[in-house]
Amino acid sequence: MQLPDIDFVIVGAAKSATTWLQVQLQADPAIHMPDPELHYFSREYERGDAWYLSQFAPTPTTRLVGEKSNSYLDTPEAAARLHAALPHARLVVMLRDPVQRAYSDYCMLLRRGEVGSDIERYLDPRVAGSGRFLSTSRYAPHLNRLLEHYNRDAIHVAQYEDVAKDPQGVVDGVRDHLGLEPRAVAAKSQGRVKDKRSAVVPPGLRKFLGPLKPLVAPLRGSRTFEAARSVIAKRPDYPTLSDDLRIRMTEHFRVSEAELARIGITR
């Protein structure tokens, strides 16, 4: 593997069906993508190109090689690093209603126990304007950084909302951008790839049981393991996104959304 062998990168945004898209592309034997998000050009850059390239294992049937790392979109340094290493790459961006994306991202971290249940602390622009959830949903600055390095025709923008309305159209659009012929949507990933409604072990208990994880790993999926997990796993109780908070968030994103339209990206 050499850097020129990497043909495309899905750069984000988080909680915008990028994993669904990755699964769709991985269903094609002609495409190779590593499963984990590598975050090389954002969080792991000090590891070096050799580490990055070692994460790929294309097969003889591979025509295109790519990866997905959602942190590339909103990490300021990532665009320049991407272009320096992969100036030839085709980029794919998935966007979502900025309010819903921020709320979904918040729920994911709440589920993990990384944030608290005081939703306004994290999503109210009056107190959380520079935090992760709102800043990631201000898409225009992120797209403008990419456009400083890549031509507009190298960047394909698709919408989360279209995955539900026209999944085949989303896949066809991405495949056309990558120079591939159409291919039917993979049945195994037509629905949700990650479901925030599923039961989860409470964060405190999960941390307490952490040392046992290697011991029980071989039992995962077994009837005994799943029965034991069902006793302690609970469906998370997410705070409601109130109408007032939604209005404040919508107003907060208005300037960014207008800038997106100005550079020719409609939502």
Side-chain angles (χ1 to χ4, degrees):
M1 280 288 297
Q2 301 294 323
L3 289 171
D5 296 326
I6 299 173
D7 303 289
F8 69 94
V9 182
I10 300 173
V11 300
K15 309 309 295 179
S16 300
T18 56
T19 300
W20 174 88
L21 178 59
Q22 179 183 23
V23 171
Q24 288 294 328
L25 295 176
Q26 287 176 321
D28 185 345
I31 297 176
H32 168 70
M33 298 180 71
D35 280 327
E37 294 191 48
L38 303 180
H39 300 294
Y40 174 57
F41 297 104
S42 52
R43 306 170 188 167
E44 306 292 344
Y45 199 57
E46 72 284 352
R47 290 177 177 262
D49 291 349
W51 173 85
Y52 180 58
L53 293 169
S54 72
Q55 307 305 304
F56 298 87
T59 68
T61 64
T62 299
R63 286 174 52 194
L64 291 181
V65 177
E67 64 128 326
K68 173 183 81 78
S69 294
N70 289 336
S71 58
Y72 294 165
L73 183 64
D74 62 315
T75 299
E77 301 82 7
R81 291 171 177 174
L82 266 169
H83 189 260
L86 309 175
H88 59 285
R90 311 291 282 178
L91 305 184
V92 178
V93 179
M94 295 288 294
L95 300 183
R96 181 179 184 177
D97 173 88
V99 173
Q100 289 300 321
R101 195 223 65 81
Y103 177 62
S104 181
D105 199 12
Y106 163 75
C107 289
M108 179 179 71
L109 264 63
L110 180 67
R111 178 184 178 90
R112 294 176 181 174
E114 296 179 26
V115 298
S117 59
D118 181 1
I119 188 172
E120 298 206 356
R121 173 184 174 188
Y122 300 98
L123 297 185
D124 190 334
R126 298 173 300 184
V127 294
S130 61
R132 157 182 171 157
F133 307 115
L134 299 184
S135 62
T136 299
S137 284
R138 293 194 291 267
Y139 304 129
H142 312 322
L143 268 295
N144 277 326
R145 277 197 302 271
L146 292 174
L147 289 169
E148 289 175 4
H149 301 281
Y150 289 91
N151 293 330
R152 177 66 181 87
D153 61 5
I155 305 172
H156 177 77
V157 179
Q159 307 292 337
Y160 170 94
E161 290 78 10
D162 290 336
V163 171
K165 295 186 293 186
D166 183 17
Q168 188 65 63
V170 173
V171 173
D172 287 349
V174 172
R175 290 181 65 88
D176 180 68
H177 179 63
L178 301 181
L180 297 170
E181 64 282 355
R183 180 184 173 93
V185 170
K188 68 178 181 180
S189 61
Q190 285 182 352
R192 294 171 179 261
V193 176
K194 299 176 182 177
D195 192 344
K196 71 177 186 180
R197 300 169 299 181
S198 58
V200 63
V201 177
L205 183 57
R206 188 163 64 241
K207 182 178 181 180
F208 176 77
L209 296 175
L212 299 178
K213 190 173 181 179
L215 299 177
V216 301
L219 301 176
R220 282 186 174 276
S222 69
R223 183 176 301 178
T224 301
F225 178 88
E226 295 304 324
R229 185 179 186 278
S230 68
V231 174
I232 57 176
K234 307 296 180 184
R235 289 184 62 174
D237 184 17
Y238 300 107
T240 300
L241 182 62
S242 70
D243 290 342
D244 286 345
L245 180 54
R246 185 189 303 275
I247 290 170
R248 290 195 293 274
M249 293 172 69
T250 299
E251 184 61 31
H252 176 76
F253 294 127
R254 195 176 303 281
V255 172
S256 175
E257 292 292 282
E259 174 64 9
L260 277 185
R262 189 192 68 78
I263 62 179
I265 299 172
T266 58
R267 289 200 11 79

